[in-house]
Every structure is written in structure tokens, then in C-alpha cells.
Amino acid sequence: LATAQAEIGLPAEVVAGFVDGAVNGLLGLQQGREAALCLVPVGAGGSLQEFPRDSGEQSAAPPPLPVAAPGDADDGVIEYPEIRRIHHASCLAADGEVAAWRAGAAALSHLVGEGRTREKPQNYSPGPTAASPPTTRFPLSKGGATSAPLAQAVLGRVSTRRFSREPLPFSKLSSILQEATKRPPADFNRPGGEGLVDTYVIASAVEGLPSGAYFFSPRDGELELLKEGAFREEAGHLCFEQALGADASAVLFVMSDLERVLAGLGSRGYRAAQLEAGIVVGNVYLCAQSLGLGASGVTFYDDEVTAFFSPHAGGKSVMFVTVLGATHLKNQVRPFRSRVAAMLDALARGASGA
């Protein structure tokens, strides 16, 4: 997408709504082991609606390929039946289903709101609580970050294994957030609507930005402070007990309100949310590389991330997590004294687990 649009000047768009069996058969994919996840038409004049369609009778979809015999599979292949069932549940079997799915995508713009909280019951009353403190917001820095060409970033992209904990210039974080979170042109993102994902940030060492937890609003171009504090160790814990999270200058959590997404897009909505989140994270990698920074995707504790950013992130699910910062000269994974390890040590010494 980025190469076609920025470097070549051709329009491109992600297409997530298509008849899975027809595309898989056309490509000759191995049934049960391979599957198309999305299509990216390039050129032909612009948006998906402008791509020419056959006006004649619809041709029959190619027959599915036979399931490979056990002996045909590569040695060492690990089966994940749950992934296969999830993918099957999100497949579209006919043109009518594709049309209905795209209609749901068009209506989704008013269902998915950037950072919106869930609607309160009609008779909801907060009770005699103290007034909420005023929200602190930090507008993104405009300009000031020099970047390398896109092609150079694509060829040089690597995952960082260790960060130096050096402060990250706010101008560079601003550039990454502004560019990486732009809504990708896709058949599930209609003009005037909202994206399927939101971005939350733990800032541990960003120049001019207090350490704390933030929500990023692309619409307003600013970071909203959710809670101030030093959260390096918490970030390491949330990033599945990894030093990468603790050492990074900033950690980006890409989340989605799946209840709203699935209400508009059905089971295939999860695939679309993952696609959009993956595009955001891929853009973060490229932006970081072009700015001379390191980045890495990491695993995470799903429910604990949601709890950490709640109540703002209440009901949202984590799609991807990326860590950012200056790469350490010794770019090797370092040991991390995790919260879980400390708890296990305490239990081994006879402490109560209550």
C-alpha cells in the first residue's frame, strides 16, 4: 500500500470482502493449510467502487483443491485447529454474502467511534462522586523529524532486541503516531467513518511528555493523558514479562472495540480489525526505521492491558503491541526480573498465594 501510493503514485486499496473459496481455488492454495486473507488491487483508477466488474454471467468458482494427505505435509508442521475454525467462521461463501458484508461496513461508521465509551443505561446516575479532574492533552509536534526514503526503510527494517532507554524526541513519536495510524484505504473503511482500531501509549522516556499512560486521538492530533506515573516495570509485565517493554521509550497498544466491530461486520469483522491493526504496526516499523529508531512487535497479556487502560479502554481488545526506542549497542535480549517470576519465588519460599 505505502509503496504503491507514496513511491509509485498508483491508487491501492485493501479488499477484505471476497468469496474465499473462489480466490483460494484461483490461486491454487493448499486447502486446509493455506488461505487468502485480503486482496490489494493496485491502479485501475482509484477506489474499490471504480474497479471494473464483469457484466456477463457469473462464472462458476473453481473447485476446491483436495485436502493434502498426511504424508504430503512438511515434517514438523504444527496444527492449530482453533485458528482453522476461526478462519472458517469468518469466510464468505457467495457474492450475496460479500454484498451484505460491504453494506455492514458502510453502516459501521456510526457504530465504531474513536475512543468512545459505551453508552450508559437510560436511568444511569453517577451518584455523589467528586468532579473529574480536567483532561490533560498534548498536541503532536508539527514537523522537525527528518526521515529516510521509504524504500530504504523497507529494505532496512529489522526487529530490535534491546533498547538503550535513551529519551525519545517528541517530534519523532509525533511523526510515528501521525503517519502510522492513518486509516488504510479499505472496503471496511468508508469515507467519513471511523477506523476499527484505537492506539494507546505507555510513555516512559519521551522528551517534553510526562511519563504515563495515554490515548492517542488521530482526529484531534493529540495525546490524552489517562494517568501519570512511571510505568516501565508495568510495561514489561504487560508485554508478557519482557525487558523490551520495560526498556522501550514508548509502547504502543493497538486495540479494538470488537463488540461494535462484530455488530457491523459479523465474524469477518475480527479479520478486518486484525488487518487494520497489522497495517498500523507495519507502518510503525517503517516509520521508526526511517527515523533511525528501533521497534519490535511483542506478545502481551490481553485482559491485563485492557484493565490497565480502563475505564477508557473498557470493552476493547488488544490486537497488536509494538515497542519503540533507541536500539542498544548490544542488541541482544537481556534478562528481565518479571512480576510472575517474583511471585513464584515468593511462593517457593512459603509465602501465601492469597
Side-chain angles (χ1 to χ4, degrees), residues 196-323:
L196 304 185
V197 299
D198 293 321
T199 303
Y200 290 79
V201 181
I202 291 180
S204 296
V206 179
E207 295 174 354
L209 191 68
S211 296
Y214 293 84
F215 167 74
F216 172 59
S217 171
R219 180 196 304 155
D220 301 322
E222 60 187 18
L223 285 161
E224 176 186 338
L225 180 62
L226 302 180
K227 52 185 172 183
E228 188 173 352
F231 297 120
R232 279 196 181 274
E233 297 307 309
E234 183 69 22
H237 168 67
L238 295 177
C239 293
F240 211 66
E241 315 296 341
Q242 297 179 79
L244 282 169
D247 293 340
S249 298
V251 184
L252 276 54
F253 300 82
V254 183
M255 307 182 71
S256 179
D257 188 339
L258 290 179
E259 182 177 321
R260 296 180 187 272
V261 172
L262 297 178
L265 298 179
S267 298
R268 204 176 185 87
Y270 184 79
R271 189 190 298 193
Q274 283 280 353
L275 273 173
E276 183 167 325
I279 291 171
V280 169
V281 169
N283 289 340
V284 169
Y285 261 99
L286 293 178
C287 290
Q289 181 70 33
S290 68
L291 294 171
L293 299 172
S296 187
V298 296
T299 47
F300 47 85
Y301 289 123
D302 298 71
D303 294 342
E304 293 197 35
V305 170
T306 300
F308 177 79
F309 288 105
S310 289
H312 193 286
K316 295 180 183 179
S317 300
V318 194
M319 300 285 102
F320 283 97
V321 177
T322 311
V323 289

